[in-house]
Amino acid sequence: MKSKKQKETKSKKFQPAWAKLDNTAILFPVIATKDMSNVYRICATLKEEVDGELLQKAQDILLPRFLAFRMRLKMGVFWYYFEENDKDPPKVLEENSFPGAYINKSLNNQYMFRVTYYKKRINLEVFHALTDGYGGLLFLKELIYQYLRLAHPEELSGEKDRLSPGLILDMEDSYVKSFRKAKSHKEAYRSKRAVVIRGEKRPKGEVGVTSGYFPLDQLKAAAKSHGLTINQYLVGTFVYAVYREYLKGSPGDRPINCCVPVDLRGFYDSHTTKNFFAMVAAQFQPEKEEYTYDEVLAIVAQSLKEQITKEHLDTILSYNVSNEQNIFLRPIPIFIKNIAIRSVYESTADATTATVTNIGDVKLREPYDKYVEHFYTMLSMSRGQNLKGGIVSYNGTLIITFTTVLADLSIQKKFFRMISKDGVKVAVETNDPDGGVG
């Protein structure tokens, strides 16, 4: 018989939590490669130099409180799944790679995120299977709070060393919870082959980064002058820049399809820290010889309006979850599923020209907000998408960051010039060795 001490020791043995991958996360482990990492970055620039040792300590304090980030990916017989990771937290290092680089989990203690820093900037990079921009931003904000408490113990002595009051760290699969079977999935996705932006590429592994800074009030006024929301205005201007600079204003038989992720939490009353978004496509088909800027803006805005409705999002959600829940697919071994998923992805990837995502207006709690200057978000490249944009606003400034593997910056230049012509003050910075995009 086992002694009482042996039984107590056994009961204290680590028992990992586990969870199924959400409907969107299923895709990412199948298609991820070094060239297509499926890693996004959200970062914040402080008003002071970052202390790497304190940032490591802040991450190590925070991680046990954030189960959603304390997961590792495992492969079962039929599906991938998450298992709680009891390994030491990953090392916080000074930035030494381009944004969105592949996360080698075997070199990262099996964690699917990394924290780096450079001068005044804190970078959080996340493998998309773990969570979307909503979950990533929650983690980064709490990391900033924890770091600042360590860096300014006297100034922040009145702040308790805990997660923010009212923070909800729900890990439900909101896709399944919100699923309602639709009568038809006919209009869920448009699969027509789209324009692909090609050209001379940068050296392998390099990513061009160009950020534009806009006063939020001026940008709102410019969008309003066209009868648009800020998101419609920015996406429409991007599509117009592709039309003028890449297509040279010529008609064609392929549309410019700009994918726009839509956070579903507000539509389905969710606070999940897992992925919960849907993709819609801002579509512009250049059929005639010449389109004005306002014509393109109006066409793109209408395309988004038609798709960002509860009814259409219900159809997309139903289509995605129905495929996952198909009882005939459940017993198929994972290696066969992976082949099928990869094949479907490759056949639909040609329907997208680029992606522009907006993670919204970031709010930090007082008194932490006074220590932070800016937020940024950046996307890694996908099959057929050589240029992407990430939008975030903070403290009255909106920043859009374009990432690209192409050497040519003409689309970005056109984008900034068009907004500048609308009376918006634009400041631009880039890592391009040839200088600015003015």
Side-chain angles (χ1 to χ4, degrees):
M1 288 181 66
K2 291 182 179 179
S3 68
K4 184 178 179 182
K5 188 174 182 180
Q6 286 176 314
K7 288 180 181 179
E8 287 177 352
T9 301
K10 185 177 180 181
S11 67
K12 291 179 182 177
K13 187 179 178 182
F14 176 70
Q15 297 293 325
W18 73 277
K20 291 175 62 178
L21 271 66
D22 61 70
N23 181 263
T24 299
I26 289 170
L27 172 68
F28 298 118
V30 181
I31 64 172
T33 64
K34 287 188 177 181
D35 294 328
M36 193 169 70
S37 66
N38 293 287
V39 171
Y40 65 84
R41 171 184 286 193
I42 306 177
C43 49
T45 301
L46 306 186
K47 296 179 181 179
E48 61 195 35
E49 294 281 325
V50 175
D51 183 320
E53 291 185 6
L54 287 186
L55 186 58
Q56 177 77 64
K57 188 175 180 181
Q59 178 204 258
D60 295 355
I61 292 171
L62 177 63
L63 193 55
R65 305 170 182 174
F66 241 95
L67 179 59
F69 275 71
R70 213 169 58 249
M71 289 291 187
R72 59 183 170 186
L73 189 67
K74 303 282 285 185
M75 187 170 72
V77 177
F78 301 109
W79 293 105
Y80 287 98
Y81 65 95
F82 288 137
E83 181 181 81
E84 188 177 356
N85 190 357
D86 64 338
K87 293 182 179 292
D88 291 337
K91 295 296 183 183
V92 172
L93 302 172
E94 189 169 10
E95 183 177 7
N96 60 9
S97 64
F98 286 91
Y102 182 77
I103 296 177
N104 187 328
K105 291 184 285 293
S106 64
L107 301 177
N108 199 46
N109 277 354
Q110 297 301 313
Y111 290 97
M112 292 182 284
F113 74 95
R114 63 171 159 248
V115 173
T116 62
Y117 65 96
Y118 179 73
K119 293 184 177 179
K120 298 180 180 181
R121 192 176 66 236
I122 297 174
N123 308 310
L124 171 67
E125 296 195 315
V126 183
F127 182 46
H128 220 317
L130 199 61
T131 183
D132 55 21
Y134 174 89
L137 187 57
L138 284 185
F139 186 85
L140 179 60
K141 287 165 65 174
E142 293 300 321
L143 179 64
I144 291 168
Y145 298 154
Q146 183 63 59
Y147 171 81
L148 290 174
R149 286 194 290 268
L150 295 173
H152 299 278
E154 293 182 3
E155 293 178 46
L156 299 173
S157 60
E159 290 294 302
K160 293 184 179 179
D161 192 8
R162 64 181 186 186
L163 295 177
S164 296
L167 182 65
I168 300 174
L169 297 179
D170 194 340
M171 287 185 63
E172 73 171 16
D173 187 336
S174 290
Y175 289 106
V176 173
K177 181 183 176 182
S178 307
F179 167 70
R180 299 290 183 276
K181 191 169 183 178
K183 293 180 180 178
S184 172
H185 297 143
K186 186 177 180 181
E187 298 299 323
Y189 292 104
R190 298 169 180 173
S191 57
K192 184 177 180 180
R193 293 185 70 184
V195 169
V196 176
I197 304 170
R198 306 183 192 278
E200 179 187 350
K201 290 194 174 182
R202 295 166 182 265
K204 191 175 178 64
E206 288 191 10
V207 177
V209 180
T210 305
S211 294
Y213 300 72
F214 309 100
L216 194 55
D217 56 350
Q218 292 182 19
L219 200 60
K220 283 181 180 178
K224 189 176 180 180
S225 71
H226 293 278
L228 306 175
T229 66
I230 286 180
N231 217 42
Q232 291 167 351
Y233 178 57
L234 293 175
V235 174
T237 302
F238 174 75
V239 170
Y240 181 78
V242 175
Y243 166 63
R244 295 304 311 176
E245 295 301 318
Y246 187 71
L247 297 182
K248 306 302 180 185
S250 300
D253 58 356
R254 293 188 184 183
I256 299 170
N257 272 355
C258 180
C259 264
V260 178
V262 177
D263 187 347
L264 297 176
R265 292 170 180 81
F267 290 90
Y268 297 96
D269 190 26
S270 168
H271 297 280
T272 185
T273 53
K274 289 189 173 186
N275 288 292
F276 194 42
F277 67 96
M279 286 289 199
V280 301
Q283 187 173 69
F284 168 63
Q285 174 77 54
E287 296 173 334
K288 63 180 185 179
E289 285 298 328
E290 188 71 27
Y291 287 85
T292 67
Y293 179 42
D294 277 314
E295 284 179 316
V296 175
L297 290 181
I299 291 169
V300 169
Q302 185 60 32
S303 176
L304 290 173
K305 284 178 186 176
E306 290 174 356
Q307 295 175 76
I308 306 178
T309 66
K310 180 63 162 53
E311 183 179 11
H312 183 70
L313 296 174
D314 281 344
T315 302
I316 294 175
L317 193 149
S318 175
Y319 173 80
N320 291 342
V321 178
S322 292
N323 287 336
E324 179 192 351
Q325 293 188 339
N326 188 324
I327 60 172
F328 298 107
L329 296 178
R330 291 178 188 174
I332 296 176
I334 191 169
F335 73 92
I336 297 178
K337 283 194 181 91
N338 286 352
I339 294 171
I341 291 170
R342 195 176 296 114
S343 177
V344 171
Y345 170 77
E346 290 175 355
S347 67
T348 57
D350 294 336
T352 302
T353 303
T355 298
V356 174
T357 186
N358 188 342
I359 64 172
D361 189 18
V362 178
K363 304 290 186 186
L364 292 182
R365 293 198 289 120
E366 295 181 349
Y368 304 98
D369 54 348
K370 66 182 180 182
Y371 296 95
V372 179
E373 191 75 41
H374 295 301
F375 277 85
Y376 308 79
T377 186
M378 307 173 198
L379 301 177
S380 57
M381 300 299 99
S382 302
R383 178 186 171 96
Q385 298 186 57
N386 296 317
L387 172 62
K388 293 187 178 183
I391 303 167
V392 62
S393 53
Y394 173 72
N395 197 25
T397 299
L398 182 143
I399 300 176
I400 181 168
T401 301
F402 291 107
T403 47
T404 185
V405 291
L406 300 175
D408 184 30
L409 298 179
S410 60
I411 292 172
Q412 294 93 311
K413 291 179 181 180
K414 186 68 173 181
F415 175 88
F416 293 121
R417 286 170 182 162
M418 293 308 298
I419 293 180
S420 181
K421 284 181 180 179
D422 269 348
V424 180
K425 184 179 179 181
V426 180
V428 179
E429 56 181 26
T430 178
N431 68 350
D432 191 87
D434 296 327
V437 296

